Structure formats: structure tokens, C-alpha cells
Amino acid sequence: MSHPKSLSRSAPSTVTAATIVSSLLSVETPGAGFTNLTAEVAKFVRDAGATEGVVTLFIRHTSASLTIQENADPSVLDDLSTALDRAAPENAGWSHDTEGPEDMPAHIKTMLTATSLQIPVLEGKLALGTWQAIYLIEHRARPHRREIVLQFIGSTN
């Protein structure tokens, strides 16, 4: 068993979470692919007056999902789409195809990714890493209107 050579941790902070702020975000997707939601979630945190706590995102659909991924190199998102297509190809003999050949693959891709995310809020800002962004992943070929519940729990100014 190896041990890390160096560990460090900031002093813990304590917050009385007396505030819950909720909002419903509607997103029109252009079809299959990634839509960056980071700026909109950051705006929600600012508008909520959040100082410290957590923001939760929950997508109200079974054929679209949420993820946190790299925001610097667009080829990462292309490769992720390719990987999801390989994991759940359209023409694999699925019995559920009510809304077309991407119907069942869209549900599988949602199951493999996430329908909710939690991101810490520290000093009024999303505690994302330098290269991280929040994305909605549309798994359907045609455009859709997607709804995401945003909820901040924590302290406000």
C-alpha cells in the first residue's frame, strides 16, 4: 500500500444552512450533443446571494443527462459522444423504439451518465476546477426543451 507524500486540507468552516433557493431552468437543445450550463448555474448562485453551501441540478427527463467535464478542448466532448454512441448504438435490436432508433440508446446513455449533480459553493462561487464545466447532454437527434431544477442550500448574504 502506498501513501501520498503530501496531503493538505484547509480548516473546516461551519455554516448554518437556513436558506433554500430553487429555480427551474428551461433549455432548448439543438439536438444531440453537449450544452454548457456553467454560466447560467453561476448566475443562479449569484442571484440567490449564495455565500457557502451546495447547488444541486436535477434534470427532469430520461433521455438527456448532466455531467461535469473538461471545458478547454472541444475534442473531449466529441470523444465522449463517440464513446456513448459505442456503448449504446442505435441499431442493436432494441425492442423499445417508440420515438425512433435513438429512443432506447438515449435512455441507456442517461443511465450511464447522471440525472443530478451537486457542486459546492465557496465564497459565493461554484467550486469547480479550472478545466471543469457543467453540461446538459442531449441524447436525442432532434431539438428538445429540457427542464433542470436548480436548488441552492446554504448561507446567503
Side-chain angles (χ1 to χ4, degrees):
M1 177 194 243
S2 67
H3 296 283
K5 295 186 190 249
S6 175
L7 288 174
S8 66
R9 180 173 59 84
S10 66
S13 62
T14 302
V15 172
T16 301
T19 302
I20 299 173
V21 181
S22 302
S23 185
L24 185 62
L25 174 63
S26 293
V27 180
E28 298 286 337
T29 67
F34 290 76
T35 301
N36 191 330
L37 303 177
T38 311
E40 190 59 38
V41 176
K43 182 179 183 317
F44 166 72
V45 167
R46 281 191 310 276
D47 291 349
T51 55
E52 191 163 341
V54 65
V55 64
T56 300
L57 291 80
F58 176 77
I59 191 162
R60 300 169 67 177
H61 303 278
T62 60
S63 58
S65 56
L66 301 168
T67 193
I68 295 174
Q69 268 303 329
E70 180 174 329
N71 64 7
D73 183 351
S75 69
V76 170
L77 302 180
D78 293 338
D79 288 343
L80 290 171
S81 291
T82 299
L84 287 171
D85 289 342
R86 287 178 183 165
E90 284 189 16
N91 300 314
W94 310 112
S95 58
H96 178 72
D97 62 358
T98 307
E99 296 179 59
E102 89 276 13
D103 196 359
M104 191 61 215
H107 295 299
I108 294 167
K109 292 171 186 180
T110 297
M111 183 181 71
L112 294 174
T113 51
T115 55
S116 67
L117 300 172
Q118 283 191 320
I119 301 142
V121 174
L122 301 173
E123 298 177 1
K125 295 183 179 162
L126 297 170
L128 292 170
T130 302
W131 307 114
Q132 290 182 317
I134 304 163
Y135 294 97
L136 180 157
I137 313 170
E138 177 60 66
H139 301 299
R140 296 300 182 109
R142 64 182 178 84
H144 279 78
R145 182 179 163 276
R146 302 302 190 172
E147 292 182 344
I148 300 165
V149 177
L150 302 174
Q151 191 169 67
F152 170 77
I153 300 174
S155 63
T156 57
N157 52 20

